Amino acid sequence: MSFTFIKKLPSPQEIKTQYPLSRKAREAKEQRDLQIRDIITGKSDKFLVIIGPCSADNEDAVLDYISRLAKIQDQVSDRLLIVPRIYTNKPRTTGEGYKGIAHQPDPEKKPDLLAGLIAMRGMHMRSIEEFGLPAADEMLYPENWGYVEDLLTYVAIGARSVEDQHHRLTVSGFDVPAGMKNPTSGDFSVMLNSVYAAQHPHHFVYRGHEVETTGNELTHVVLRGAVNKRGVCIPNYHYEDMVRLIDMYDQMDLKYPAAIVDSNHSNSNKQYKEQVRIVKEVMHNRNISPAIRQLIKGVMIESYIEPGCQSVHEHVYGKSITDPCLGWEESEQLIYAIAEMNR
């Protein structure tokens, strides 16, 4: 056989029983979930800011970063809802490189999936227990949902996963908002078909069980830019892109049309400093167009303590070991600017 079975991992229920969330933290998450639901459904005019490191590689640095977000959230709570990014799984285009803390708790050591599941759960738990901020994560591996379903307040489905049927069907069973990114080709119809699939009920196999889902009405789109056949990045956050997306949403039978703009990746051509300009353009377009304001519910920003990125072996505290991120000072100023522009 081509598979070597190393060890059987604990079930999600076993891990959750071993590492339970306190009652106070559960209540904080429930309250946060309701606030985000109100934004997606249009009941609230607050704006979502999903912000944090490209990958959550170091627990101490990530929690330090979140402690800073918590202080700002208190000051902008009337206009913004801040959701920290704790991305514990990192997709790799070629399959090589650091795959996230859920796969490799120590980036300089061999993979350890059991330790990774515990580290993933532990970091998300601390964000809620210590700061009252449940986080967002990318669901790269749908079978991992059970390990964090009581912790996540937002889920992203990446550009390489959005066309996969297993991801779409699994999202249909989530009870929190899920953002379906446009594929790397940039095809809006693929993205919207993914939203349609996830918003409807399904019957399928999941973790060795035959299951049924009710559909996730909070599923929506995330614009992250595209790459053409020549490898050139094509942004899709401009005014004209929003108008086209509104028209396409209108032609489909979807609940709660909503979009989040990812300010990095192919929208910025991975020029992380451009995120500031891109976010401000998005906010400007919301302010001059009621239809765009109704559609765009938030932004995603890649940000950490130190700007840029580093290799795994450099050990600069709070600096990304994957894609480059905005530093803290620029991020703090940007959050306040978003709050000021969400008038």
Side-chain angles (χ1 to χ4, degrees), residues 1 40 131 156 183 223 257 273 334 341:
M1 292 178 66
I40 297 296
F131 307 109
L223 303 177
K273 293 180 181 178
L334 181 56
M341 295 181 78

Side-chain angles (χ1 to χ4, degrees), residues 31 71 120 129 154 219 224 229 231 284 301 308 315 322:
Q31 182 180 26
K71 294 174 184 176
M120 174 176 68
E129 297 279 7
Y154 186 93
T219 310
R224 51 88 71 198
K229 63 182 180 181
H284 171 73
I301 302 166
H315 303 293
T322 47

Side-chain angles (χ1 to χ4, degrees), residues 11-163:
S11 70
Q13 188 55 51
E14 288 171 326
I15 291 288
K16 285 190 288 188
T17 300
Q18 244 183 313
Y19 302 94
L21 199 60
S22 71
R23 179 177 177 180
K24 180 180 178 181
R26 289 198 305 271
E27 292 173 350
K29 182 185 179 298
E30 289 171 4
Q31 182 180 26
R32 206 72 172 172
D33 287 351
L34 288 173
Q35 291 175 323
I36 295 177
R37 167 180 278 272
D38 284 349
I39 293 173
I40 297 296
T41 60
K43 291 182 180 179
S44 169
D45 61 0
K46 290 183 182 180
F47 194 71
L48 277 174
V49 178
I50 303 167
I51 184 169
C54 173
S55 59
D57 60 288
N58 179 290
E59 183 170 319
D60 290 338
V62 170
L63 270 295
D64 179 354
Y65 177 89
I66 293 173
S67 72
R68 304 177 190 204
L69 287 182
K71 294 174 184 176
I72 298 180
Q73 175 66 96
D74 290 340
Q75 299 175 50
V76 299
S77 59
D78 60 326
R79 298 186 183 185
L80 305 182
L81 198 72
I82 297 175
V83 179
R85 284 172 54 111
I86 301 182
Y87 278 34
T88 56
N89 298 275
K90 177 65 180 173
R92 311 304 306 197
T93 303
T94 65
E96 295 294 322
Y98 177 63
K99 296 182 178 68
I101 202 167
H103 188 87
Q104 206 172 349
D106 186 329
E108 295 182 279
K109 293 182 180 179
K110 292 181 178 180
D112 186 334
L113 277 298
L114 175 56
L117 290 174
I118 294 169
M120 174 176 68
R121 185 165 176 83
M123 203 183 309
H124 280 291
M125 285 179 63
R126 284 189 63 190
S127 184
I128 309 173
E129 297 279 7
E130 296 177 25
F131 307 109
L133 292 180
D137 202 346
E138 179 174 343
M139 198 52 54
L140 184 61
Y141 306 108
E143 60 270 24
N144 281 353
W145 168 245
Y147 293 104
V148 288
E149 63 179 341
D150 58 330
L151 306 177
L152 299 187
T153 199
Y154 186 93
V155 176
I157 303 299
R160 297 166 187 83
S161 303
V162 75
E163 297 186 68

Side-chain angles (χ1 to χ4, degrees), residues 40 48 50 154 220-223 258-262 297-300:
I40 297 296
L48 277 174
I50 303 167
Y154 186 93
H220 56 277
V221 305
V222 178
L223 303 177
I260 304 290
V261 175
D262 179 344
K297 306 295 186 180
V299 289
M300 288 183 176

Side-chain angles (χ1 to χ4, degrees), residues 284-308:
H284 171 73
N285 288 336
R286 290 181 82 246
N287 286 336
I288 64 174
S289 168
I292 292 177
R293 184 182 184 90
Q294 187 176 8
L295 177 74
I296 304 300
K297 306 295 186 180
V299 289
M300 288 183 176
I301 302 166
E302 290 197 317
S303 155
Y304 212 175
I305 296 171
E306 297 296 333

Side-chain angles (χ1 to χ4, degrees), residues 197-326:
Q199 284 196 358
H200 288 76
H202 294 285
H203 192 129
F204 59 104
V205 174
Y206 183 72
R207 292 189 62 88
H209 291 79
E210 183 178 358
V211 300
E212 284 186 337
T213 58
T214 57
N216 181 357
E217 64 183 8
L218 301 180
T219 310
H220 56 277
V221 305
V222 178
L223 303 177
R224 51 88 71 198
V227 180
N228 70 14
K229 63 182 180 181
R230 296 180 177 85
V232 177
C233 287
I234 308 296
N236 58 15
Y237 60 86
H238 295 305
Y239 185 97
E240 294 78 10
D241 299 301
M242 305 304 174
V243 171
R244 181 163 70 93
L245 179 58
I246 290 169
D247 289 342
M248 293 181 73
Y249 248 126
D250 286 345
Q251 295 172 30
M252 298 189 70
D253 181 23
L254 295 171
K255 294 183 179 179
Y256 308 122
I260 304 290
V261 175
D262 179 344
S263 63
N264 212 12
H265 297 99
S266 294
N267 269 332
S268 69
N269 196 23
K270 292 194 175 181
Q271 302 300 308
Y272 70 95
K273 293 180 181 178
E274 291 296 303
Q275 293 184 97
V276 175
R277 177 189 59 78
I278 290 166
V279 168
K280 288 181 178 179
E281 180 177 327
V282 170
M283 300 306 294
H284 171 73
N285 288 336
R286 290 181 82 246
N287 286 336
I288 64 174
S289 168
I292 292 177
R293 184 182 184 90
Q294 187 176 8
L295 177 74
I296 304 300
K297 306 295 186 180
V299 289
M300 288 183 176
I301 302 166
E302 290 197 317
S303 155
Y304 212 175
I305 296 171
E306 297 296 333
C309 63
Q310 62 179 332
S311 74
V312 170
H313 308 294
E314 289 183 65
H315 303 293
V316 176
Y317 179 80
K319 192 171 187 177
S320 175
I321 62 171
T322 47
D323 290 350
C325 299
L326 284 178

